[in-house]
Amino acid sequence: MAGKPVLHYLNSRGRMELIRWLLAAAGVEFEEKFIKSPEDMEKLKNDGVLMFQQVPMVEMDGMKLVQTRAILNYIASKYDLYGKDMKERALIDMYTEGLVDLLEMIWSPLLCPPQEKDAKIALLKDRTVNRYLPVFENVLKSHGQDYLVGNRLSRADIHLLEILIYIEELDASLLATFPLLRALKTKISNLPNVKKFLQPGSQRKPPITEQCMKEIRKIFK
């Protein structure tokens, strides 16, 4: 019997959080080995387990998987969260790539110089309500189904839920004019595996703070 996947990353959200969400939604238990210092990161590089000398890295099914999208594609395929055919997979890919673009914008205020932070947040709010969320609201409206693709749970729904929670953390009023997205958020949040992941004490990580960013920069110096 194969062991649990082992996730190598910092004890923070970052690029591994998408992977944690997807494994949790699939009902897959996993272990984590946290990178706590520059020395920990250097050891992984020197051990030759990081193909491109970057994390995240996931040990799973006898492989050492790297590159976030490749890891997510593997997990989604293995646990039937990637559509029933090529057309559904294409839709899932389009939706998730759009969500990744929005996620990059959500991270940007933490990564920019302090004097640019307010402008980054203002742009993020504008793009959230005028570019990204309308797409997903209209998708749900167009087919009248409970999920984004094929009327069943896919990685696109899981990633969307994660993003909606991040948006709510930023400013809950941004979701006010998107009733179908709020309904989807409630529905998926109450799926047993997801509900468990949302409980206190799970392996879900809290929002990244300025202090956390300082620690991250030290490790990836």
Side-chain angles (χ1 to χ4, degrees):
M1 182 177 176
K4 297 177 184 178
V6 180
L7 282 51
H8 295 261
Y9 201 70
L10 290 72
N11 188 14
S12 65
R13 285 182 176 177
R15 297 187 184 279
M16 186 64 89
E17 194 71 355
L18 289 163
I19 297 164
R20 296 184 186 107
W21 268 94
L22 199 56
L23 285 169
V28 180
E29 295 183 358
F30 57 87
E31 299 175 358
E32 299 189 83
K33 291 188 177 180
F34 296 125
I35 299 167
K36 299 178 180 179
S37 67
E39 292 74 24
D40 289 345
M41 185 65 194
E42 197 63 27
K43 184 177 187 307
L44 282 175
K45 291 179 180 179
N46 291 338
D47 287 348
V49 298
L50 303 178
M51 184 179 291
F52 299 106
Q53 299 190 27
Q54 297 171 321
V55 289
M57 187 269 280
V58 175
E59 295 183 70
M60 185 174 182
D61 295 340
M63 298 182 289
K64 292 179 172 60
L65 299 168
V66 297
Q67 298 298 318
T68 306
R69 287 175 176 82
I71 298 168
L72 292 168
N73 288 346
Y74 182 80
I75 295 167
S77 297
K78 178 169 181 173
Y79 296 105
D80 196 24
L81 294 168
Y82 211 173
K84 70 178 187 296
D85 55 33
M86 290 178 65
K87 287 186 177 180
E88 287 194 357
R89 183 168 292 195
L91 289 172
I92 290 168
D93 284 342
M94 287 194 293
Y95 298 155
T96 54
E97 288 299 313
L99 289 167
V100 168
D101 289 346
L102 178 53
L103 181 59
E104 297 284 351
M105 294 194 71
I106 290 171
W107 286 340
S108 64
L110 287 167
L111 301 173
C112 69
Q115 64 271 21
E116 297 177 14
K117 185 174 181 178
D118 289 346
K120 292 287 188 183
I121 292 174
L123 178 62
L124 166 60
K125 290 183 176 182
D126 176 73
R127 293 288 169 82
T128 295
V129 298
N130 293 311
R131 176 180 292 185
Y132 291 101
L133 294 191
V135 169
F136 299 102
E137 183 80 5
N138 289 334
V139 168
L140 293 170
K141 185 177 181 180
S142 70
H143 57 47
Q145 298 172 345
D146 291 334
Y147 300 102
L148 288 172
V149 179
N151 203 27
R152 63 175 185 164
L153 187 68
S154 75
R155 60 177 287 195
D157 301 297
I158 300 302
H159 297 335
L160 177 56
L161 172 61
E162 181 191 7
I163 296 297
L164 292 176
I165 288 174
Y166 292 171
I167 292 168
E168 199 170 52
E169 291 171 351
L170 172 69
D171 183 348
S173 70
L174 297 175
L175 301 179
T177 58
F178 302 98
L180 298 180
L181 289 180
R182 296 199 310 273
L184 179 140
K185 177 178 175 292
T186 299
K187 179 180 180 63
I188 299 176
S189 295
N190 282 294
L191 296 174
N193 289 333
V194 177
K195 188 173 184 177
K196 181 179 178 182
F197 191 60
L198 289 169
Q199 296 303 308
S202 79
Q203 289 164 293
R204 188 167 72 101
K205 307 307 179 210
I208 295 176
T209 63
E210 295 290 345
Q211 181 59 39
C212 183
M213 283 303 303
K214 290 179 182 178
E215 296 301 316
I216 292 170
R217 290 188 180 101
K218 287 180 183 177
I219 291 172
F220 292 126
K221 65 181 180 179

